[in-house]
Amino acid sequence: MLSAFLNATTQRLKPALNLYGQVRTATKRVSGSGGRSGGTAGKRLGVKKFSDELVIPGNIIVRQRGSHFHPGQHVKMGRDHTIYSIAPGFVRFYVRKFGLRDRRYVGVVLNRGETLPRNEAALGRSRYFGFVELNGVERPTVVNRA
């Protein structure tokens, strides 16, 4: 009875036993999905001010890696490709053809309801100098007395 039990047990363990009668164990550690896969913190990239939102000079509109969005009127691009406002107004996003591709632009308009790109032939250039409005303001005429 005991010998029959031992024979049945050895038949089941035979694939796991080598020539010396030892059980083979793993020599490599299991590298599961855990461990050092914590990663780094997010960089908080993306659009910070959306279309038709009010911005003041210095407000960040888009944080990005690379130039997914390009600067339009009244905005500039920082050295880390951050687009920020240089004039108070309302944010506008628009698309323009650039070669064979479309390029996305971000701009700031001074009045709510304006659209970009601006028709400069009909409306003139949009200019902002500090807090002085120069669009549509007549200049005083200087009279020469000779």
Side-chain angles (χ1 to χ4, degrees):
M1 181 86 159
L2 184 61
S3 63
F5 174 75
L6 289 176
N7 283 340
T9 306
T10 54
Q11 290 299 322
R12 279 186 289 152
L13 293 177
K14 207 172 221 179
L17 298 174
N18 61 11
L19 290 173
Y20 304 109
Q22 299 168 338
V23 178
R24 189 163 179 228
T25 58
T27 57
K28 294 275 189 184
R29 289 183 58 186
V30 177
S31 64
S33 62
R36 295 182 294 266
S37 63
T40 59
K43 300 301 178 211
R44 279 74 174 170
L45 303 176
V47 178
K48 305 300 179 192
K49 296 285 186 179
F50 293 91
S51 188
D52 215 26
E53 277 195 56
L54 180 66
V55 292
I56 59 173
N59 275 16
I60 294 175
I61 301 171
V62 179
R63 303 242 334 147
Q64 59 188 351
R65 293 289 174 260
S67 53
H68 296 284
F69 291 95
H70 294 271
Q73 86 175 15
H74 301 305
V75 299
K76 291 211 172 180
M77 185 183 285
R79 67 180 190 163
D80 64 344
H81 297 103
T82 297
I83 295 181
Y84 59 95
S85 171
I86 59 171
F90 301 93
V91 178
R92 288 282 184 268
F93 292 87
Y94 61 99
V95 177
R96 258 195 164 156
K97 200 81 167 151
F98 185 78
L100 298 175
R101 309 181 83 178
D102 289 337
R103 196 179 251 194
R104 295 185 292 186
Y105 288 90
V106 180
V108 172
V109 294
L110 302 179
N111 300 315
R112 189 184 293 262
E114 285 185 52
T115 59
L116 288 177
R118 186 179 171 90
N119 184 1
E120 291 183 358
L123 301 172
R125 282 181 37 209
S126 176
R127 302 183 310 166
Y128 176 79
F129 297 101
F131 291 105
V132 179
E133 174 65 42
L134 295 180
N135 293 327
V137 177
E138 294 183 23
R139 294 192 174 117
T141 57
V142 178
V143 178
N144 287 337
R145 297 184 187 190

